[in-house]
């Protein structure tokens, strides 16, 4: 595929910071759009967020303890089925797990392939006195690690895709997270959007007034000035937000609405999940 | 009217930002219960600063101020006094993004009543009433970043209405809104009079003034204090005053071959007649 000269010039003109900001902006937009799935009427979407979060924590623990590869594969397929049953597109779940896992966990696990002792299966060469070889135990350990990460990431994807951010924050109270911390987390998420939009507009404003190329030193100066502008705007924003909180009676002590009661269906979901995870752990122990 | 019956009384109130930049200069002002007072002034004439002082967020650099007969000059440094004042006076900020800091619209509207220590059932009742009054009940579960500019303004007003204050301060409520949303908001502000609220509103948009004001106070952008006060018709007819305070300007246009100038407001209103 050929790239048009205009596109080529645009690519050249976009600096590292600009690309980063655009990338983060796109990621934030995708996060917003992912709430579309959380708003759908599906089985997991209807479950109380506290039930989902509690079970998610327990499932992470069990997945971390299980060694059996077949069991891990079974758990992953079960989660995939659960995702499809709750009206999540296969592509969305797969993208979050199958692409992310080799990229991040794979890179982390790569050195372990050469560091774990065992029966050598593949010799690559030697580095001075050290022989670089991949052992059977290394392959098993790395595969187990990658499988655990895949199942954990799928679990997290299911939780995030079927639960709205606001509900997820409220569910944190299950773990006795202080209200003040939850409010700060919510406000951070809220204003990151605003500041990102502001940053994007700063870059767009500059791009619309830039003709030709600018030197590296000019770009550095501009980035420095933009950081300063953003800093001063965020300081003003934080002062104004605090004033708006005080104007509505805030005096340092946080008061929140009590969350709703769990329904019978939510308790049933938690019970089934606990039994299933307990069974998985017992089966793993018996092997 | 007795001093104790007044909503606000200001005597020689001045305010300097960081002790240097003068924002208000010796302001004297009285606000009576049930008034719909519009404070007209160009950008930088101190309107927003005045509202923050009336809401007890800023402490005047000099001068004294009373609300409902009680002195509130130092209320910004007195949490108990501030709590008492915020129960009775609500401020809608110019930028709704400042006011909508919670994960959902419902949480935002519930924030104020919860901080006042009301029982949970009462909080829910007032929140739902405010959401209905501002016609945003369908947005209750939405996140603030998902709302349009007009929706944000409505929700910001609902956050204050839910606290059921006697006085509502609105800082440029119709700024940056499309005409339809602006008209709807003017209608909602008119409705506050029927609810028996005292409304103090700042703006530099002259065309909304006759619809919502029972009295107008004009702030001079040089003087940074009221330079005129009166009935909306009387103020809006005073072209010399409006020109001097930077609320209208001379506008040149053509009628065929004839060049013609007339006073022209900031938001497109034409205050002139062709003879």
């Amino acid at each position: 595929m050929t790239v048009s000269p205009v596109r080529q010039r645009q690519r050249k003109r976009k600096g590292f910071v600009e690309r980063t900001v655009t990338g983060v902006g796109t990621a934030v937009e995708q996060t917003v759009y992912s709430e579309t799935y959380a708003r759908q009427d599906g089985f997991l979407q209807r479950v109380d967020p506290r039930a989902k979060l509690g079970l998610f924590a327990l499932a992470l623990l069990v997945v971390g303890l299980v060694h059996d590869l077949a069991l891990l594969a079974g758990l992953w397929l079960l989660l995939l089925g659960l995702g499809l049953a709750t009206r999540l597109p296969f592509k969305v779940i797969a993208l979050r797990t199958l692409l992310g896992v080799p990229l991040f966990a794979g890179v982390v696990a790569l050195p372990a392939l050469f560091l774990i002792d065992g029966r050598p299966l593949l010799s690559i060469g030697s580095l001075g006195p050290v022989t670089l070889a991949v052992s059977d135990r290394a392959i098993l350990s790395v595969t187990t690690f990658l499988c655990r990460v895949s199942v954990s990431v799928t679990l997290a994807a299911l939780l995030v895709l079927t639960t709205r951010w606001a509900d997820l924050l409220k569910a944190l109270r299950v773990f006795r997270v202080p209200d003040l911390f939850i409010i700060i987390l919510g406000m951070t998420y809220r204003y990151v959007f605003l500041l990102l939009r502001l940053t994007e507009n700063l870059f767009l404003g500059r791009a619309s007034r830039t003709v030709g190329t600018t030197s590296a030193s000019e770009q550095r100066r501009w980035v420095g000035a933009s950081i300063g502008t953003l800093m001063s705007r965020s300081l003003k924003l934080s002062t104004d937000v605090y004033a708006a909180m005080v104007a509505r009676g805030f005096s340092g002590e946080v008061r929140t609405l009590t969350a709703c009661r769990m329904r019978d269906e939510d308790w049933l979901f938690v019970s089934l999940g606990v039994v299933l995870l307990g069974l998985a752990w017992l089966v793993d122990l018996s092997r | 009217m007795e001093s104790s019956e007044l909503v606000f009384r200001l005597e020689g109130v001045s305010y300097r930002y960081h002790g240097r930049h003068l924002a208000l200069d010796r302001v004297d002002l009285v606000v009576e219960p049930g008034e719909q007072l519009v404070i007209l002034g160009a950008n930088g004439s101190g309107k927003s600063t005045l509202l923050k002082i009336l809401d007890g967020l800023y402490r005047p650099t000099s001068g004294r101020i009373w609300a409902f007969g009680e002195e509130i000059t130092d209320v910004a440094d007195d949490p108990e006094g501030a709590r008492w004042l915020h129960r009775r006076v609500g401020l809608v900020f110019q930028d709704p993004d400042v006011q909508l800091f919670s994960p959902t619209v419902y949480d935002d509207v519930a924030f104020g009543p919860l901080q006042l220590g009301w029982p949970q059932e009462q909080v829910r009742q007032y929140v739902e009433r405010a959401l209905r009054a501002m016609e945003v009940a369908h947005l209750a579960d939405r996140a603030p970043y998902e709302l349009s500019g007009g929706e944000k303004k409505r929700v910001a007003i609902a956050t204050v209405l839910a606290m059921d204050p006697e006085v509502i301060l609105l800082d440029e409520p119709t700024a940056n809104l499309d005409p339809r949303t602006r008209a709807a908001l003017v209608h909602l502000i008119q409705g506050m009079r029927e609810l028996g609220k005292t409304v103090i509103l700042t703006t530099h948009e002259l065309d909304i003034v006759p619809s919502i004001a029972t009295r107008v106070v004009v702030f001079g952008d040089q003087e940074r204090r009221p330079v005129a006060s009166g009935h909306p018709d009387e103020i809006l007819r005073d072209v010399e005053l409006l020109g001097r305070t930077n609320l209208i300007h001379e506008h040149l246009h053509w009628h065929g071959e004839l060049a013609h100038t007339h006073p022209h407001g900031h938001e497109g209103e034409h205050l002139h007649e062709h003879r």
Side-chain angles (χ1 to χ4, degrees), chain B residues 256-270:
Chain B
E257 302 266 312
L258 179 70
H260 167 79
T261 59
H262 64 80
H264 185 273
H266 288 180
E267 299 298 325
E269 62 273 25
H270 286 62

Side-chain angles (χ1 to χ4, degrees), chain B residues 74-152:
Chain B
D74 299 323
V75 84
D77 306 321
D78 166 21
E80 272 310 304
R83 217 173 158 71
W84 168 81
L85 184 67
H86 295 141
R87 171 69 189 81
R88 304 184 75 172
V89 181
L91 168 62
V92 179
F93 285 68
Q94 186 176 349
D95 177 4
D97 276 322
V98 160
Q99 207 157 347
L100 307 180
F101 43 76
S102 302
T104 67
V105 165
Y106 195 96
D107 290 332
D108 253 325
V109 180
F111 182 87
L114 281 168
Q115 305 318 306
L116 295 177
W118 291 357
Q120 301 255 331
E121 200 39 53
Q122 190 186 349
V123 170
R124 289 181 205 281
Q125 191 189 331
Y126 275 71
V127 167
E128 276 148 33
R129 201 173 70 176
L131 288 171
R132 278 199 304 274
M134 286 294 113
E135 298 167 9
V136 286
H138 61 291
L139 304 172
D141 286 337
R142 294 267 196 93
Y145 54 72
E146 294 176 284
L147 307 180
S148 69
E151 288 170 339
K152 279 184 189 172

Side-chain angles (χ1 to χ4, degrees), chain B residues 165-262:
Chain B
E166 294 158 55
V167 182
I168 299 175
L169 312 172
L170 296 143
D171 193 1
E172 308 226 8
T174 53
N176 304 319
L177 293 182
D178 60 76
R180 191 182 295 170
T181 313
R182 199 157 157 263
L185 207 60
V186 166
H187 184 67
L188 288 168
I189 295 166
Q190 286 170 330
M192 287 177 190
R193 191 184 309 174
E194 287 152 31
L195 294 171
K197 308 287 181 195
T198 303
V199 176
I200 304 174
L201 180 151
T202 66
T203 188
H204 56 245
E205 296 171 28
L206 303 182
D207 58 335
I208 62 166
V209 174
S211 324
I212 49 179
T214 54
R215 181 162 70 101
V216 177
V217 168
V218 182
F219 266 59
D221 59 341
Q222 300 301 313
E223 296 87 349
R224 294 191 169 86
R225 78 173 82 91
V227 292
S229 170
H231 190 272
D233 294 343
E234 177 195 338
I235 295 288
L236 293 178
R237 266 201 297 268
D238 193 340
V239 175
E240 189 276 324
L241 168 74
L242 299 178
R244 182 161 48 86
T245 50
N246 199 15
L247 288 161
I248 54 172
H249 59 92
E250 282 295 310
H251 171 68
L252 174 76
H253 68 172
W254 294 82
H255 294 284
E257 302 266 312
L258 179 70
H260 167 79
T261 59
H262 64 80

